[in-house]
Amino acid sequence: MTARPRRSVLCLPGADANAHEAAKVLDADVLIFDLSDGVAPDDKAVARAATMTSLRAGGYGGREIVVRINGHLTPWYKEDVMAVAACTPDAVLIPKVASPGDVMRVAKDLREAGAQDHVKLWAMLETPLAVLNADSILRTAGDPASRLCVVVVGTQDLARECRAALKPGRATIVAHLSLFIAAARAYAVEIIDGVYTDIGNAEGLRAECEQGCDLGMDGKLLIHPDQIALCNEIFALPKDASEKIDDASL
């Protein structure tokens, strides 16, 4: 088990200062301030400024603080890197990682921007190329210069790019999830399951959290505070595989 729990990973809109303030009293283990997918192009600068203001103000207690930046091919990437290097969150989340070079590029840019060594990298795995390159991407975690310590599976984007239907049970992408989990375990990286979008369906959320936990996920990406308690409950006591060994086989 990780020394730092990552059962519930709540995504916050980068531009929403009210959501930033409300998050200070939530029971989420991790807060992700999103400058990427959840922000319209015209609002990118506003989201970056609001996020930096909130992080400098602090008040988030022991929660792990992560900033999801825009990808390196976007016009907002360089300013995002400079901003997070200055405000030193616990980690930076990179979207759409498809190769080892994507990880090492951001790690290099953070270092050159003056980011402190304790600022780690999280990587979103959400494309067919990420599936094919899972071993080489996760292998970079063995190099301290990569800063990589956590990956997050973007299940919605992954299914869409694979042209797969995403139905209860997620049968169409279980093989992809299992491959990511195997690579994460091989290279001692934590792995976070993707979002469950039917916010009012507690039964469906429970089933998907239980599935993710059974597969070997360490926690789940969330999009609403109402999902936190259930997620914390299910991921609270992961079972060690050794406990499942039948005594008769010893």
Side-chain angles (χ1 to χ4, degrees):
M1 291 178 61
T2 178
R4 191 168 198 176
R6 296 178 174 120
R7 304 163 300 172
S8 50
V9 181
L10 180 65
C11 219
L12 303 171
D16 192 341
N18 290 331
H20 301 176
E21 185 65 25
K24 293 179 180 180
V25 297
L26 297 177
D27 289 331
D29 292 331
V30 185
L31 300 175
I32 295 181
F33 293 76
D34 186 19
L35 307 182
S36 180
D37 289 354
V39 181
D42 290 345
D43 295 331
K44 296 289 188 181
V46 173
R48 187 187 307 115
T51 293
M52 297 311 111
T53 297
S54 294
L55 298 194
R56 290 191 181 99
Y60 296 99
R63 296 169 187 81
E64 192 167 7
I65 302 299
V66 181
V67 178
R68 178 159 68 170
I69 62 174
N70 291 280
H72 72 277
L73 296 178
T74 71
W76 310 287
Y77 170 74
K78 289 185 178 179
E79 289 186 71
D80 286 353
V81 168
M82 294 301 296
V84 295
C87 76
T88 62
D90 293 300
V92 175
L93 176 58
I94 320 167
K96 297 194 180 302
V97 171
S99 72
D102 292 340
V103 174
M104 301 310 292
R105 177 187 295 107
V106 178
K108 174 178 177 290
D109 290 344
L110 281 171
R111 183 173 64 253
E112 292 180 350
Q116 297 180 20
D117 290 344
H118 79 264
V119 179
K120 301 301 181 182
L121 279 185
W122 290 27
M124 292 284 305
L125 305 178
E126 49 191 337
T127 67
L129 270 178
V131 177
L132 296 177
N133 294 333
D135 178 86
S136 57
I137 292 169
L138 275 292
R139 190 185 294 266
T140 63
D143 181 353
S146 77
R147 302 177 184 244
L148 183 65
C149 67
V150 177
V151 292
V152 181
V153 185
T155 48
Q156 299 290 321
D157 283 353
L158 178 61
R160 182 165 51 251
E161 293 204 19
C162 289
R163 301 181 187 173
L166 199 54
K167 299 178 180 179
R170 302 188 293 184
T172 56
I173 62 166
V174 165
H176 307 63
L177 300 180
S178 296
L179 193 153
F180 288 146
I181 291 165
R185 293 293 164 253
Y187 301 112
V189 174
E190 296 284 305
I191 182 166
I192 307 300
D193 200 0
V195 298
Y196 181 76
T197 57
D198 190 357
I199 295 172
N201 186 351
E203 182 178 339
L205 175 63
R206 176 176 290 278
E208 193 162 293
C209 285
E210 289 176 347
Q211 180 197 39
C213 189
D214 286 347
L215 286 170
M217 296 287 185
D218 296 298
K220 193 162 185 64
L221 187 64
L222 308 178
I223 55 175
H224 196 281
D226 288 349
Q227 298 175 319
I228 294 172
L230 183 55
C231 188
N232 283 347
E233 173 197 334
I234 293 171
F235 285 97
L237 296 171
K239 298 294 185 182
D240 185 87
S242 64
E243 296 178 8
K244 299 179 181 179
I245 298 176
D246 188 342
D247 290 341
S249 68
L250 299 179

